[in-house]
Amino acid sequence: RPCSRGAMANEARHPQEFINASVALKVLKALRAGRVRRPDLVVAHGAPFLEGRHASSVGAAERYAIIEEVFVAALDRGEAELARRCLATLNARFPGSKRVRSLAAMADEAAGNFEAAMGKYDSIIEEDPANMHVHKRRVALLLSKGDTAGAVAALNDYLALNAGDPDAWLELARIYTAGAQYRRAAFCWEELLLLVPSNPVFLCKYAETLYTLGGPEVKTARKYFAKALALQPDNLRALYGLHAVRARRAGGKEGRRRSLVMRPRGAMAFFRAQCCQAVVGSAARTKGQRTDRDDAALCADLSEHAVARLRAAYKGNDFNARLLERMLEL
Amino acid sequence: RTRRGRAMATISSDAFVNMMLHSCKHPHRSVNGVLLGSVSEDGGVEVSEAVPLFHGILGLAPMMEVALNQVEGYCASVNSAVVGYYCANERRADTELTHLARKVGERIHARVPSALLIVLEASPASTASSSLPLKAFSLSGSVWQQRDPSSVKVDDEAGARAALEACLTAAAQYELCDFDDHLDDGARVWIGQKPAQLSGRSS
């Protein structure tokens, strides 16, 4: 979504040293692959491909793709003139193209001309009702305008027809979370996890959302933190999550066991068993056959394992290690 | 002059720059963090440090609890206290206090009655504007009321703005590490960052 506040970050000037074309291409590729939003780097490395030194260093298709990225980055940074030159170049090469028209609409958005932008998006959709990209741009525009309800409605309509779009579920989860609608956000995370089941980031966010809902959901949160940890044994969110679940469940200090000595085989077996049992989706909501006492023991085991791994993670970093120890004392 | 309603809220230069850098690092997302410092007898607040917490998804309980517990532990060791909370909404033009901000604010207020809530605003690109790019709130009864802008100041404001500009020129905001970044990489330190160190690292 083009950011009108990019003007503040625009204070950063472009590096003066010459950047070799192949280095520039590597940087741009890395940013693209990592989906990292660093408009300053995109402009610095990509702008020479517009009219400057590198304009003839790459094939045409690649050059126009870079120009499109520079255009968006320029909007992010509030560099209207650079954006205008990019758009003019693209327009000259691809006149009347829907893709270029939607870029022109983004420029309108960045300038705050929301009505003009919406008009452009609507006319593209009239010609091409299945244009996923423009549907999502409409949602982004509604969010920029502050029409959250409209954005949510549009995004739900889009997802009714495109339930296989992970980005859209992620965005909807984010919007619901921002509005403190945790139940609805949890539903979105569930849909996302059906599409992308082994992503520790999503597993943890789902677990955090369940934890925030509280009550019986905290136990399900524990399953998902454990599942994330099974995939990524050093995931800090999952480790802290397992520790927090025990504290929440036990109601604070009263529930804490005096001894922090782990029972190695029992704990690891429990832990692994728990991870294997975790099932993504609505089946995960079943309570299981454990008695309350066994369940409390499992919580304690998971928490002790988490604490041990957290301590190992912070070995060698005194400052962070001390923060952890003080937290454990509370 | 010492009447509660007129007590000053003073923000150190480093705290101001850190808050703004956090906001500039993620201009298209909400950000939040806590303010550390001390309170004076007349109800004034002195903010000495701004600790960045999250960006993007702000309102989830477990990591927030962990972060606040760790910050409180840190405060005890440096004889400081959590005296406030700052945030910037996703649309910087939106300067409303969110439900989350109120909740955290109330938790802080329970221990520090003059707790400060700050909502960062969109700042003009130049330093021409004479007012600070933020709104400050204090709890009055059960309502968070906006403080008179004249009761909030930044220590050495001109110096602070210059430092901020220098940091942005050096793209130092990308060196700032919040608790979210720490959770992605446990080796990074998220408390006690100074703007001068950040620009040193990025240039």
Side-chain angles (χ1 to χ4, degrees):
Chain A
R1 179 151 81 241
C3 166
S4 59
R5 295 332 310 158
M8 183 98 189
N10 189 23
E11 304 287 297
R13 293 181 238 304
H14 307 165
Q16 293 305 308
E17 71 272 22
F18 174 72
I19 304 168
N20 171 290
S22 65
V23 168
L25 287 172
K26 281 209 189 86
V27 170
L28 291 171
K29 196 169 172 184
L31 291 173
R32 207 175 294 140
R35 304 185 74 180
V36 172
R37 192 159 169 168
R38 285 290 304 264
D40 59 322
L41 294 177
V42 173
V43 167
H45 293 271
F49 291 91
L50 176 60
E51 290 148 356
R53 319 176 258 271
H54 303 319
S56 43
S57 304
V58 284
E62 195 171 359
R63 178 170 164 254
Y64 289 117
I66 292 172
I67 293 173
E68 184 178 359
E69 285 176 349
V70 174
F71 169 77
V72 176
L75 288 183
D76 244 352
R77 292 171 53 81
E79 290 190 45
E81 181 49 34
L82 175 58
R84 194 199 57 76
R85 289 196 341 252
C86 290
L87 191 58
T89 307
L90 291 169
N91 240 331
R93 175 64 188 84
F94 306 102
S97 131
K98 289 198 263 302
R99 187 157 161 175
V100 176
R101 280 157 60 196
S102 98
L103 294 179
M106 274 178 83
D108 282 334
E109 274 191 72
N113 301 333
F114 296 126
E115 298 313 312
M118 189 58 100
K120 290 190 170 87
Y121 290 139
D122 285 341
S123 80
I124 297 174
I125 290 196
E126 238 184 78
E127 293 166 33
D128 178 12
N131 192 317
M132 287 168 59
H133 172 76
V134 174
H135 275 289
K136 289 194 278 192
R137 283 248 47 86
R138 286 185 79 249
V139 173
L141 190 158
L142 290 167
L143 285 172
S144 295
K145 273 173 73 176
D147 181 6
T148 313
V152 166
L155 196 42
N156 271 302
D157 286 344
Y158 171 83
L159 282 164
L161 300 170
N162 298 278
D165 185 341
D167 283 339
W169 285 114
L170 180 56
E171 183 68 11
L172 191 54
R174 209 192 47 78
I175 299 172
Y176 280 141
T177 308
Q181 296 180 286
Y182 301 114
R183 181 71 57 192
R184 293 183 188 193
F187 176 78
C188 294
W189 292 115
E190 284 160 17
E191 290 293 322
L192 184 52
L193 285 169
L194 285 175
L195 297 171
V196 190
S198 301
N199 183 316
V201 174
F202 299 156
L203 288 166
C204 283
K205 279 285 173 284
Y206 180 45
E208 290 180 54
T209 309
L210 291 173
Y211 182 104
T212 309
L213 277 168
E217 304 295 0
V218 175
K219 214 161 164 187
T220 320
R222 185 185 69 194
K223 276 194 176 121
Y224 285 92
F225 282 129
K227 196 162 169 47
L229 204 55
L231 290 166
Q232 201 176 42
D234 291 317
N235 185 311
L236 289 182
R237 283 171 215 276
L239 291 171
Y240 277 123
L242 287 176
H243 177 74
V245 162
R246 189 232 189 140
R248 168 75 73 97
R249 223 182 146 275
K253 276 195 175 148
E254 300 86 340
R256 253 195 18 212
R257 290 217 306 235
R258 289 296 137 202
S259 156
L260 284 179
V261 172
M262 281 185 61
R263 301 189 317 267
R265 269 180 248 277
M268 289 312 293
F270 262 128
F271 172 71
R272 288 217 177 85
Q274 178 61 2
C275 293
C276 293
Q277 283 173 40
V279 177
V280 180
S282 54
R285 294 184 177 281
T286 55
K287 264 180 101 163
Q289 302 307 314
R290 266 171 261 114
T291 62
D292 270 350
R293 220 177 78 185
D294 282 346
D295 197 83
L298 173 62
C299 246
D301 288 337
L302 286 170
S303 170
E304 281 174 8
H305 171 80
V307 168
R309 288 227 63 110
L310 282 168
R311 285 183 169 137
Y314 289 136
K315 236 181 169 61
N317 191 320
D318 283 340
F319 187 82
N320 288 339
R322 262 179 280 133
L323 286 176
L324 173 68
E325 293 307 325
R326 268 186 232 115
M327 182 193 90
L328 293 172
E329 282 163 26
L330 282 177
Chain B
R1 194 142 306 178
T2 53
R3 226 175 55 210
R4 190 75 184 268
R6 288 177 163 273
M8 290 295 293
T10 311
I11 304 169
S12 75
S13 168
D14 280 354
F16 173 75
V17 175
N18 270 10
M19 285 194 289
M20 299 304 295
L21 287 180
H22 195 204
S23 172
C24 290
K25 183 176 181 182
H26 307 283
H28 55 291
R29 290 179 157 158
S30 347
V31 295
N32 67 359
V34 285
L35 303 172
L36 312 186
S38 59
V39 288
S40 50
E41 278 169 9
D42 65 350
V45 183
E46 284 190 21
V47 176
S48 57
E49 187 175 350
V51 177
L53 292 181
F54 301 101
H55 57 269
I57 297 182
L58 302 185
L60 297 177
M63 299 305 126
M64 176 67 99
E65 284 170 17
V66 171
L68 291 177
N69 284 337
Q70 292 203 355
V71 168
E72 282 164 13
Y74 168 77
C75 281
S77 75
V78 298
N79 206 18
S80 186
V82 177
V83 298
Y85 168 89
Y86 76 87
C87 62
N89 294 328
E90 191 169 276
R91 287 183 314 116
R92 298 296 192 263
D94 173 12
T95 51
E96 290 298 302
L97 271 186
T98 56
H99 174 69
L100 175 66
R102 284 171 219 273
K103 251 177 47 186
V104 179
E106 271 147 37
R107 172 180 166 153
I108 298 171
H109 180 268
R111 293 213 204 133
V112 176
S114 35
L116 204 59
L117 280 189
I118 289 183
V119 180
L120 301 175
E121 288 181 318
S123 172
S126 72
T127 50
S129 169
S130 58
S131 59
L132 288 174
L134 52 88
K135 277 190 187 164
F137 297 80
S138 298
L139 195 60
S140 166
S142 59
V143 178
W144 287 96
Q145 280 187 353
Q146 189 180 345
R147 293 179 70 115
D148 191 320
S150 63
S151 75
V152 184
K153 73 177 174 87
V154 171
D155 232 354
D156 181 19
E157 186 177 326
R161 286 185 190 263
L164 176 59
E165 173 141 5
C167 280
L168 292 174
T169 304
Q173 68 268 34
Y174 298 109
E175 300 297 318
L176 185 74
C177 170
D178 60 16
F179 188 61
D180 254 335
D181 297 326
H182 168 80
L183 289 172
D184 291 335
D185 177 1
R188 301 186 69 185
V189 174
W190 54 289
I191 299 184
Q193 300 168 85
K194 299 238 180 277
Q197 294 170 335
L198 300 175
S199 24
R201 250 182 268 149
S202 76
S203 53

